[in-house]
Every structure is written in structure tokens, then in C-alpha cells.
Amino acid sequence: MSRRVVRQSKFRHVFGQAAKADQTYEDIRVSKVTWDSSFCAVNPKFLAIIVEAGGGGAFIVLPLAKTGRVDKNYPLVTGHTAPVLDIDWCPHNDNVIASASDDTTIMVWQIPDYTPVRNITEPIITLEGHSKRVGILSWHPTARNVLLSAGGDNVIIIWNVGTGEVLLSLDDMHPDVIHSVCWNSNGSLLATTCKDKTLRIINPRKGQVVAERFAAHEGMRPMRAVFTRQGHIFTTGFTRMSQRELGLWDPNNFEEPVALQEMDTSNGVLLPFYDPDSSIIYLCGKGDSSIRYFEITDEPPFVHYLNTFSSKEPQRGMGFMPKRGLEVSKCEIARFYKLHERKCEPIIMTVPRKSDLFQDDLYPDTPGPEAALEAEEWLSGQDAEPILISLRDGYVPPKHRELRVTKRNILDARPPSGPRRSQSASDSPLSQHTLETLLEEIKALRERVQAQEQRITALENMLCELVDGTD
């Protein structure tokens, strides 16, 4: 008799569980905008959710510990004049978040560690360069202050948030609406999907499409793509018969898929969330009530089904916690924040283990909060892998760090025309007028400080005389 061999994997028994009722976030009016983004972004400090707002666009930011019912007057982040379509936390500063809106702008916000008293209405910087709504945001994984945006004008713009300038503009690569954009692990390449059914691999600094595959999925509905740790591309899309499908592709040989699997018949776009540390991909369909997860390996069939987490209510959106925000003592390997119509519910994925010791095999070193490159270094052609940290003793988020924006002289700015190298802020010499103004300000401040010191000395002398007199 032939014995069926079960594939060995430490992730075969990944177990999903919804958080208890007192660990959910209640009374949140989740946005009803018909846009295929996740509507939710989370990091080790905060949970951000796009919400319904009258007369503009807004999102709410809650400290992770603030579970339970949210006060209806809880301060929002408001500033956009039309609905917010996407939000993304900066990977190198847990207090900085970017938002993209139907009003064609991107705003970058500094979130304080304390709960604000009133709405946050002043962004650190507003980035204006798109002519139509902006629906996709993605921070560079290793370079500081580098942010990518993609708009309804079929243009991808890469910004230096630290100076407010356009680093690169990729405006002639996509003939139709861009559905998804993903960086690879060191931020040297982009994988994009488009309404023209083409999957593209782009070198943004050269402004070149280095590989492309037409009709990776033959259906007309939106496709999504993410890079895997091995450099392959994982895609979700639809067949010609509108069945949902997943695929794995090798960019060096786009002719044939490494793997292609039909899944089910449903209209919801599958949002893929990939964990490079475990090579597990989680698929969350909009409007589904389940999360399917698969392990990607080098052995056929390459994409191995693990399990499905099911619940009763459909999801409006989903947030995915970075690895450093998980509880390693509980063998937690992933945590989702599932949006319902009026609440947000954490879903915890764990690998059952009997030992209380740190599980090295579950937690390899993972990207930390330090940037490996400056924006100018990346633009000049340098690449660097993320700076890794160990989770052995758990992760403690660093204290509040401010993002400082040094704007260049707007009069020197020229409109972007195709992929180009932008001058860095240090390339533009300060004008003589500016230098003189700065010197005058410094001189005036010094004089004020000296006057204050003289006043303090005089008061101290008076105090001494009064004390001597009472003696």
C-alpha cells in the first residue's frame, strides 16, 4: 500500500481567532466609499481607519490600547476636501501617516502620542502633483521620507516628503487606471497592475518597464500583485468566467505561471497581505467573511493552501500589523484589524506551541523602524536591504519623533516631465537675501537672550537685598 505523505510545515496548524468583545473598537462609522483599498492602517502604536465625514474626507487615529466604545466626538484627522481613499503609516516613524484623497492631494500628518483635544487639521505637508484623485499610497521600505502615490491620471509620483519635492514622475507607462503598486524588499523595483490587464515590473529610477505580462488573469476585474521574498510576483485576479484566481510568476520568465489556481466565484477583489518572514500570504476579499492563507515554497505546487479563518460578518476593509507589533510570547505570527460597518475587530493568527520560550523558527530578524538610506542616496542609485531587529525581548516602539520638512524655494521648482532626477535640497544654494535674513534673526535672538539674562541678574540682586534686609 502506498502511504500518503503529508507535507511538513510549521505553519500547517496556524490558528485564527477573533479578539474578545472588550478588545474591539466599537461605534466607528467606517467609510462607505466604493474604492478597493483596505480603509485601515495599523502599526505598533496606532490604528487608523477611514471614516464617514460630512463635507470632506477624514480618518480616525486611535492608540492601540484604546479599545471599547469610541466617543462620537473623538477627534478626527480632517483636512481633505473630498473623501480619503487610502492611508499608509510611515515604516520609519510610527507617528507619521500619509493620506490620499479624491481631492487630488496627498497629506502627511504627525500624530501625537497623547490624545488630541480637537480635530487635527494641519498636515505637516501637502503634496500636489496629480490632476485626478489619488487612490494608492506606499512608503519606500528602506529609504527615509520616500513616498509613492498613484492617481486616476494614470501617473505614479515618487516624493521626498522631507522636502516636499517630486523625485520621479512615471507618467507614460500606464494607459489606464492603476489598480495596485508594490515595492520589492529593497525598494529597487515596482510591481504594478493596471486596468489594461497588464502586470508590469518597473525600475522607477531608470523609468523603464523591465518585464511585463499581458492578461496574467484574463478577467476584466481588478488584479493585485505583491513581491515575494524570493523575488517572485504573487497575483490575485479573475478568470474570464469571473472566478477568483491566484497566480505566482517568475519575472525572469513571464511566459508561463509558476502556479495558477482557481478559487471560487465571487465579486470581491482579493486583497493580498504577504509576510516575508514566514512566506505566508493572506487573502482577504472585500465583502467576504473569511481570510484564506497559503504558504509559498520552492516545492510544487509552490502555493500551498493552509487554512481558512471564517466569521459571520463580511469585512469592509482590513489592516495588517507589521511583525514588530505582534506578541511573540503568545506565538502570534499575524494580526488583522477587520472593519465591520460600525466597528473594528482584531483577528489574531497563532502557531500553537507548548513551550513558553522564544520561538526562533517563528521569528527570524524582521525589518525595524530605522531607514537604511536617505532619499538622495536612493535616488542616486544606491540600494540597501531593510535594517533588521530581533524580536527576542519583544518590541518597544520608540518615543515620538518629529518629521521635519525643509521646503525648497518654490520659485526654483519646475513641473515634472517624465522620469527625471530631481535636484536634492542641498543642491540649491541659499540666496544672499535669505542668509542676511537668517543672520539678522540670530542676532536679534541673541540680543533678547542677553537682555533676559541681565533682567534675571537684576532680580536676583533685588532678592538678595530683600533677604539681607529682613535679617
Side-chain angles (χ1 to χ4, degrees):
M1 279 176 68
S2 63
R3 192 161 57 87
R4 184 164 176 248
V5 179
V6 176
R7 188 179 68 90
Q8 287 296 311
S9 169
K10 56 184 172 251
F11 300 115
R12 268 186 57 224
H13 302 293
V14 170
F15 173 65
Q17 189 170 26
K20 293 185 173 69
D22 63 344
Q23 294 300 305
T24 61
Y25 306 82
E26 303 270 355
D27 260 12
I28 296 169
R29 293 185 306 142
V30 177
S31 173
K32 291 186 171 69
V33 174
T34 54
W35 184 254
D36 287 326
S37 81
S38 57
F39 287 2
C40 180
V42 62
N43 71 17
K45 279 187 174 184
F46 299 106
L47 166 68
I49 300 167
I50 302 173
V51 293
E52 284 287 291
F59 59 99
I60 191 168
V61 177
L62 300 166
L64 279 191
K66 192 171 177 56
T67 53
R69 193 172 295 280
V70 177
D71 189 316
K72 69 176 190 299
N73 296 318
Y74 193 90
L76 303 176
V77 182
T78 60
H80 288 289
T81 56
V84 176
L85 301 178
D86 199 13
I87 47 178
D88 196 26
W89 286 105
C90 175
H92 308 125
N93 188 333
D94 286 341
N95 292 81
V96 171
I97 188 169
S99 59
S101 168
D102 218 330
D103 66 9
T104 76
T105 67
I106 301 117
M107 293 182 178
V108 180
W109 308 85
Q110 184 95 37
I111 306 298
D113 283 335
Y114 59 86
T115 302
V117 185
R118 55 182 67 87
N119 287 353
I120 299 173
T121 57
E122 290 297 320
I124 313 169
I125 192 165
T126 301
L127 305 171
E128 297 176 324
H130 287 282
S131 59
K132 291 187 180 175
R133 69 181 182 179
V134 187
I136 298 170
L137 287 177
S138 181
W139 291 90
H140 193 285
T142 61
R144 192 189 318 278
N145 294 342
V146 175
L147 176 65
L148 174 151
S149 62
D153 49 9
N154 313 337
V155 175
I156 291 175
I157 298 179
I158 299 173
W159 309 83
N160 181 348
V161 173
T163 59
E165 63 182 332
V166 174
L167 294 179
L168 299 162
S169 179
L170 310 174
D171 51 10
D172 54 358
M173 297 191 175
H174 299 89
D176 214 324
V177 176
I178 300 162
H179 286 148
S180 76
V181 182
C182 174
W183 297 96
N184 65 349
S185 64
N186 67 2
S188 59
L189 294 173
L190 298 170
T192 70
T193 61
C194 178
K195 196 176 178 181
D196 70 351
K197 300 210 293 191
T198 304
L199 166 64
R200 294 174 175 83
I201 311 300
I202 294 170
N203 182 327
R205 287 169 297 195
K206 290 185 177 173
Q208 289 177 348
V209 176
V210 294
E212 61 182 4
R213 174 69 161 82
F214 176 69
H217 300 283
E218 293 186 340
M220 288 304 298
R221 290 188 56 72
M223 183 165 57
R224 288 279 190 281
V226 291
F227 274 99
T228 71
R229 187 176 62 191
Q230 295 85 358
H232 288 157
I233 312 291
F234 181 92
T235 58
T236 64
F238 293 80
T239 66
R240 198 172 285 167
M241 305 301 290
S242 289
Q243 282 193 298
R244 294 198 292 198
E245 191 174 45
L246 58 85
L248 189 66
W249 306 84
D250 181 353
N252 300 315
N253 179 18
F254 257 155
E255 291 305 307
E256 288 296 319
V258 177
L260 198 63
Q261 294 180 25
E262 285 185 13
M263 286 177 58
D264 58 10
T265 306
S266 177
N267 288 332
V269 173
L270 285 167
L271 305 177
F273 296 96
Y274 177 66
D275 173 17
D277 296 347
S278 61
S279 273
I280 295 179
I281 192 119
Y282 301 87
L283 302 182
C284 309
K286 277 218 154 182
D288 287 11
S289 54
S290 62
I291 301 171
R292 293 184 183 84
Y293 36 109
F294 300 78
E295 187 178 0
I296 299 173
T297 70
D298 297 328
E299 306 161 14
F302 305 106
V303 181
H304 306 268
Y305 171 75
L306 290 174
N307 211 333
T308 300
F309 167 82
S310 295
S311 54
K312 290 176 182 171
E313 293 188 55
Q315 54 232 14
R316 297 281 295 277
M318 195 70 81
F320 187 50
M321 175 67 82
K323 211 52 170 274
R324 55 197 170 90
L326 304 180
E327 288 195 45
V328 295
S329 60
K330 295 182 180 174
C331 294
E332 184 182 7
I333 63 160
R335 192 189 310 153
F336 291 90
Y337 286 76
K338 172 181 171 176
L339 301 185
H340 299 241
E341 197 168 331
R342 299 282 302 189
K343 72 173 182 179
C344 175
E345 174 185 49
I347 293 166
I348 294 144
M349 301 284 181
T350 51
V351 176
R353 293 275 170 98
K354 288 179 180 173
S355 170
D356 292 336
L357 299 174
F358 178 72
Q359 307 292 315
D360 296 80
D361 60 329
L362 295 184
Y363 301 105
D365 289 356
T366 196
E370 289 305 317
L373 292 171
E374 296 300 325
E376 290 79 11
E377 292 173 323
W378 176 77
L379 191 62
S380 68
Q382 292 185 45
D383 288 320
E385 292 300 321
I387 296 173
L388 304 180
I389 58 170
S390 169
L391 297 177
R392 179 172 290 276
D393 301 315
Y395 171 77
V396 179
K399 286 276 190 293
H400 180 96
R401 290 188 299 180
E402 272 204 39
L403 169 62
R404 298 199 178 280
V405 175
T406 314
K407 281 199 175 182
R408 290 176 56 208
N409 186 340
I410 293 168
L411 297 175
D412 293 341
R414 286 171 178 71
S417 54
R420 61 181 179 82
R421 229 221 97 171
S422 155
Q423 264 194 322
S424 71
S426 56
D427 293 342
S428 61
L430 285 166
S431 67
Q432 193 65 32
H433 170 74
T434 312
L435 283 171
E436 284 169 3
T437 309
L438 283 171
L439 286 168
E440 280 172 12
E441 277 189 34
I442 292 166
K443 187 180 171 186
L445 279 170
R446 281 209 175 112
E447 285 172 357
R448 287 202 337 241
V449 169
Q450 282 173 347
Q452 295 286 359
E453 284 174 346
Q454 286 169 2
R455 175 85 177 131
I456 289 166
T457 307
L459 288 169
E460 282 173 343
N461 290 338
M462 284 169 66
L463 187 63
C464 289
E465 285 172 13
L466 281 168
V467 171
D468 291 343
T470 53
D471 289 346

